[in-house]
Amino acid sequence: MPYEREKRELLERFSSEPEKYYEVELFRSKGFMRKRCEVCGRYFWTLDPSLERCPDHWNGRTFIGEKVTNRSFKYTDAWRNVEDFFVSEGHTSVPRYPVVARWRPDLYFTVASIIDFQRVEGGKVVFEFPANPLIVPQASLRFNDVENVGFTGRHYTEFVMIGQHALNDGHGYWKDRTIELDFRLLTERFGVAPEEVVFVEDVWVGYGAFGYSLEYYVRGLELGNAVFTEFEGTPSNYRRFEPQVVDMGAGLERFVWLSQGTPTSYDAVFADELEELGKRLGIKRNHELSRAFFAASGRHDLTEVPDPSKALSDVLAEAGIGDNDYREYIKPWMDLYTVLDHSRALLFAVADGALPSNVGGGYNLRAILRRAQGILDANSWNLQILDVAELLARSLRPMFPELLDSIPALHEILDVELQRYRATKSKIGSIVESMRRSGRQLTKEDVIKLYESNGVTPEMLVEAGLMDRVPADFYSELTSRHSAQQKEEANPAIDVEGLPATRKIYYEDVYLSRCSSRVIRSYPAERAVVLEGTIFYPRGGGQEPDHGTLGGFRVKDVVKVGNVIVHFLEEGVPKEGDVVECELDVARRRSLMKHHTATHVVNGAARRILGPWVWQHSAFKDEDGARLDITHHSALTREQLESIERLANEVIQMDLPVDVRALPRGTAESLYGFRLYQGGAIPERELRVVKVGDFDVEACGGTHVTRTGEIGVIRILRSERIQDGVVRLEFVAGMRAVDHSISQSRVLSEIAGSLGVPPEHVAKRLGELQEELRAGEEERRKLCVAVASYVVATGPKGHVDGIPVYAVALERVPQRTLIEIGDAVAKAAPGSIYLGISAQREDGRSLLVVISSSDRLDAGELASKMLKALGGRGGGRGRIGQGSVPRIVELEEALRVLGSS
């Protein structure tokens, strides 16, 4: 792997100069010795002269079942101990950031604490700290080790990373202070003996930056990793990063585990929940077997083995545990550990606005939700994921009070998701039967496709007997496929190198409709120009561009290339250096402004009506209307649409101010949070914040009205579920909404006139007509059966290859009725052929239908030959053939032609 080779070469380079990169003041003052592991050759630092192996090949004393810290810490207590220490050492404690990393265009989830403070600008990472130095309890989601959760005793999909971060800029600190603090945290606050702490040399390579690091361990357990991000670029092309960044991430779960010495990390982290749920479910505990099993399983990685069942057998053999003891004392606890972890991950994700789906990161959430529910079903436990999540939310309340507030939203989402899950389970029978008939051995790729297309989990296939085990790294492979970067919009290829940024006059005064500006670059071949400044808004953020005239030429398109705005014209272009008059199409601009502000209003209304998981997925605003795609789990009901529309128009009636301010990104985020990023991450240091009263606030680059009253009115035209987890709303605003209402009123009046009732009685009359049609349809069906009985009773009208032909000729009957009569004939006289003709005398043509219930003859071929001979057109395949002839065909002629076909 190139990445692993790159890391290995970096580590060799840094480790060849330990005094420059790794040796810190603590090591010198305390007398730490630098040693090389006798097994793998990695370098580490220790106070223990007898130590010859690095923690990766640990053969010393374990912390399991032993007292290593000064006392046992529960989960929230451990964080308070960490927080108090760092705050006392001059750090600011900041609240966690969302687990959904909306500020990063390349990530769905927050995978580490440093992600909180990384922003992407111009293809490289910049760091923005709200305080320096700081400490943060960052909830993080990772889905690359799903199979290991519950099995190894230490893996999680959701965990809290203790983030200790600083900038080496005179206010923060660098290596010496970092390692001193981490060592003192362990030895002073947690009471770990100094000689138990081991530091291992390592490197870190990230998005456009890299550095060296010191991992720290106690008795073979990695607790944290202090990364010193000193370089930007790549290992082969880099320069020193200014200022350098301290990125120390430690696992809160590991600290709790170390302090309690339980057989698994889960026993320490979920201690209260396990006690309550274990009693409720009647799960038996054998501490000796548990300790033996997890001591062995912790040395395995199920994502790296071809056969997980063999790995399990190896662990059981190593631990000396039989199958019966495993099923009774180990497996139920492994399952409960997994359910607790997956429930906690879902709790955090939903609290921060994520939604399980078949799209992007939602795949990961749905996968673990169905995995957890599958475990509950397999064990026949009377337990709900929601119950588990609420237990966790209550125990985490001292750290994360917002989790308990999200339980109602989680309840609704789980109801919808579990209904879909059970619907999938009800369909599994037909899928299994189809797979069995094929006789083919299922591959991992087959199983992934079944999950993606039908929602069938591998556990369902195992239960059905189609597989004996879940494929290796199934969930890791599945989730990795749905973590692609978002693609940026492509602009026309125009070379703007060397041009200054275009002055954006359209921001200075959105109501300005005329201006003069100098042409600084002309592109005759492309019929495009660049001006010093412009009143024309370029296409961006889902908003279509302004139109108008520029130097007498029509402006047909405007795009932004970097910080330069390019105008595309019709018929010709002015020359470079010309000062040209620019004039907007004012009506178009006003309509675009109304539709864009209306999009913010509708988005805010949808979130309030539907739930906190509603985010803008994408949007489009044009002169004639707008559409907004929102994240939501189901298609919208009429009542929901009406409620959204009503609330949106109430906001218009309130005539709220629409304030637009340019703010430093950090200031904007601290004031308004990450709801700002409705349209996705914005790679700018300064954000243009659009605030609609106290109703909605978003970072947005579009043009807007100054008060909501200017929108006039909003009408939602329709909604549809365009993909899993995404609903589209189409709407119009301003005069477009008025025009739509007038048009609807006109249509309603016309319908009312046709029905002979007042407009307010149209719905009632239509209902009466539908009932009459339903009654008439039932009579028609009965008549078809009666005609078919008559046709069969009168006997066959001929034979084709010895097969009887039943026929009927009718007038002014549609093809659908001919087919229904034929279906009834086929049921009454199996193994026959049916010929139906309907003369359409007013059109001078005939409709023909042939139905074969015999395996020997293809009705489509018969119909094709017969129609061709009669001068008509048509055909078919299998049991039905149909078509028409542009004249009246008598039954005798049709039978004669059919007999000779």
Side-chain angles (χ1 to χ4, degrees), residues 787-796 806-807 824-826 828-829 832:
V787 171
S789 299
Y790 171 78
V791 169
V792 173
T794 57
Y806 294 91
V825 168
S832 66

Side-chain angles (χ1 to χ4, degrees), residues 250-267:
L252 180 60
E253 285 75 10
R254 299 293 181 94
F255 275 78
V256 179
W257 189 17
L258 179 73
S259 77
Q260 295 189 28
T262 51
T264 75
S265 172
Y266 317 117
D267 295 315

Side-chain angles (χ1 to χ4, degrees), residues 43 328 399 563 673:
Y43 289 98
E328 184 170 5
M399 284 179 70
N563 287 318

Side-chain angles (χ1 to χ4, degrees), residues 106 236 356 429 472 480 612 655 662 758 813:
D106 56 322
S236 58
S480 70
D655 196 27
V813 169

Side-chain angles (χ1 to χ4, degrees), residues 66-266:
E66 296 203 18
K67 185 178 178 61
V68 179
T69 58
N70 51 17
R71 69 179 180 90
S72 176
F73 289 88
K74 287 196 170 184
Y75 196 72
T76 56
D77 291 337
W79 164 246
R80 292 301 174 215
N81 193 36
V82 172
E83 182 183 41
D84 289 346
F85 171 77
F86 280 104
V87 169
S88 70
E89 294 293 334
H91 293 63
T92 299
S93 179
V94 302
R96 74 173 182 93
Y97 282 42
V99 296
V100 184
R102 300 188 189 276
W103 58 93
R104 283 288 296 265
D106 56 322
L107 294 174
Y108 286 110
F109 299 114
T110 306
V111 296
S113 58
I114 194 62
I115 300 299
D116 297 354
F117 317 114
Q118 290 179 342
R119 303 294 180 268
V120 178
E121 289 181 7
K124 69 176 186 177
V125 168
V126 297
F127 292 87
E128 292 184 0
F129 287 10
N132 181 28
L134 63 82
I135 189 78
V136 59
Q138 183 53 49
S140 305
L141 295 182
R142 293 184 188 176
F143 298 96
N144 56 327
D145 288 307
V146 175
E147 287 84 0
N148 284 324
V149 174
F151 176 78
T152 63
R154 68 180 188 278
H155 281 91
Y156 293 86
T157 56
E158 189 283 323
F159 60 96
V160 168
M161 181 174 284
I162 301 167
Q164 171 199 0
H165 301 292
L167 297 174
N168 184 26
D169 61 357
H171 300 286
Y173 51 77
W174 193 223
K175 293 183 291 185
D176 289 343
R177 177 71 168 154
T178 302
I179 299 303
E180 174 218 332
L181 289 171
D182 295 341
F183 183 75
R184 287 176 52 210
L185 173 68
L186 289 172
T187 56
E188 295 176 13
R189 284 303 182 103
F190 283 89
V192 176
E195 60 272 15
E196 299 274 17
V197 183
V198 176
F199 292 91
V200 178
E201 297 176 8
D202 203 359
V203 295
W204 173 84
V205 180
Y207 189 121
F210 65 95
Y212 41 93
S213 68
L214 285 167
E215 301 169 339
Y216 56 90
Y217 295 74
V218 173
R219 294 199 182 180
L221 178 66
E222 182 182 0
L223 295 170
N225 185 17
V227 175
F228 304 107
T229 308
E230 186 171 348
F231 307 102
E232 64 176 329
T234 65
S236 58
N237 182 21
Y238 62 91
R239 63 181 179 183
R240 198 158 191 261
F241 204 83
E242 294 294 344
Q244 298 84 48
V245 179
V246 171
D247 170 19
M248 197 295 294
L252 180 60
E253 285 75 10
R254 299 293 181 94
F255 275 78
V256 179
W257 189 17
L258 179 73
S259 77
Q260 295 189 28
T262 51
T264 75
S265 172
Y266 317 117

